[in-house]
């Protein structure tokens, strides 16, 4: 069974740091791009960032709201995804989900590209930033 | 950034109704759009990708369509389990963005 399990959430003071983990099982983790998405209390979904796989040089994309403060990393040997969160603000309070990306191969007139969307989600871990 | 605007924000309907939720992108996203269903306290669940492709295991009562920058999610005959919040998401370009959500409630 494909499964993602987040951990590491908790209460932290503004300006503090926290590291979230996402343990993957049931699929070949190293093949996949992986995302972090968050949801503030009573609000909608907000994409946080994405890490590509080894074949794509482990490059990373971030949302502007977290760039420079959050760092996404992965350890393929441990089937794990991480989110290091520094300089936390009260507005970072949210449930944080990790998500597995599925590639969609697109070929038009010999030019091809892959597009990625989240097909599996973890249950989330709650981060509360408050004094 | 690409803005995704869903309408309505809240939709009241009855079991058996046919409902449509609309999502409009602020620029062309070439049908790189997904729909997710989320129930309170739960993670989102993938329903539709590539604007109209039904995810495996998802009821055929769900369907998606596209016309330019306007996308629709249709539920053909509402069942009690369908009352939830629905989000569209574009994955054409970074940053990936979601619509604000449509809450489907029982009338």
């Amino acid at each position: 069974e494909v499964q993602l399990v987040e951990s590491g959430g908790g209460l932290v003071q503004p300006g503090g740091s926290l590291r979230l983990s996402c343990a993957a099982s049931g699929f070949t983790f190293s093949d996949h791009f992986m995302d972090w998405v968050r949801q503030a209390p009573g609000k909608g979904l907000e994409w946080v960032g994405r890490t590509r796989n080894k074949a794509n040089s482990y490059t990373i994309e971030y949302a502007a709201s977290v760039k420079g403060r959050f760092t996404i990393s992965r350890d393929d040997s441990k089937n794990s995804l991480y989110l290091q969160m520094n300089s936390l603000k009260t507005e970072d309070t949210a449930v944080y989900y990790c998500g597995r990306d599925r590639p969609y191969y697109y070929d038009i007139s010999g030019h091809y590209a892959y597009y990625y969307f989240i097909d599996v989600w973890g249950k989330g871990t709650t981060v509360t930033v408050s004094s | 950034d690409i803005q995704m605007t869903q309408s309505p924000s809240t939709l009241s309907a009855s079991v058996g109704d046919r409902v449509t939720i609309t999502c409009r992108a602020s620029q062309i996203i070439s049908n790189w759009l997904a729909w997710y269903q989320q129930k309170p306290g739960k993670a989102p669940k993938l329903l539709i990708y590539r604007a109209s492709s039904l995810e495996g295991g998802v009821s055929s009562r769900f369907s998606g369509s596209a016309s330019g920058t306007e996308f629709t999610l249709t539920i053909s005959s509402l069942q009690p389990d369908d009352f939830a919040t629905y989000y569209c998401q574009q994955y054409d370009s970074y940053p990936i963005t979601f619509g604000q959500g449509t809450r489907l409630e029982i009338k």
Side-chain angles (χ1 to χ4, degrees), chain A residues 33 35 37 39 43-47 50 52 61-64 97 102 104-106 115-124, chain B residues 1 32 34 36 38 41-46 48-50 53 55-56 87 89 91-101:
Chain A
F33 291 18
D35 287 12
V37 175
Q39 186 169 36
K43 303 298 184 182
L45 301 169
E46 179 188 16
W47 178 78
R50 168 175 289 171
R52 297 180 179 87
E61 305 285 344
Y62 292 100
Y97 297 100
R102 180 190 301 172
Y104 188 104
Y105 177 75
Y106 182 64
Y115 289 80
Y116 296 82
F117 57 93
I118 300 173
D119 68 339
V120 177
W121 298 69
K123 294 184 177 182
Chain B
D1 298 3
W32 299 113
Y36 297 92
Q38 187 180 34
K42 302 294 186 181
K45 172 188 173 183
L46 176 66
I48 301 279
Y49 60 94
R50 191 73 168 113
S53 295
E55 173 67 351
Y87 294 92
Q89 177 216 44
Y91 53 98
D92 175 75
S93 62
Y94 296 105
I96 292 167
T97 47
F98 290 88
Q100 80 277 16

Side-chain angles (χ1 to χ4, degrees), chain B residues 3-73:
Chain B
Q3 308 301 317
M4 306 300 292
T5 304
Q6 286 184 234
S7 60
S9 295
T10 305
L11 179 57
S12 297
S14 301
V15 172
D17 284 353
R18 177 186 178 92
V19 299
T20 296
I21 298 169
T22 298
C23 178
R24 185 171 283 106
S26 61
Q27 61 192 72
I28 292 172
I29 59 171
S30 302
N31 291 357
W32 299 113
L33 182 114
W35 288 98
Y36 297 92
Q37 176 194 67
Q38 187 180 34
K39 296 180 180 179
K42 302 294 186 181
K45 172 188 173 183
L46 176 66
L47 299 175
I48 301 279
Y49 60 94
R50 191 73 168 113
S52 59
S53 295
L54 188 68
E55 173 67 351
V58 174
S59 171
S60 58
R61 295 181 293 100
F62 292 89
S63 63
S65 65
S67 178
T69 58
E70 186 167 298
F71 303 86
T72 58
L73 174 70

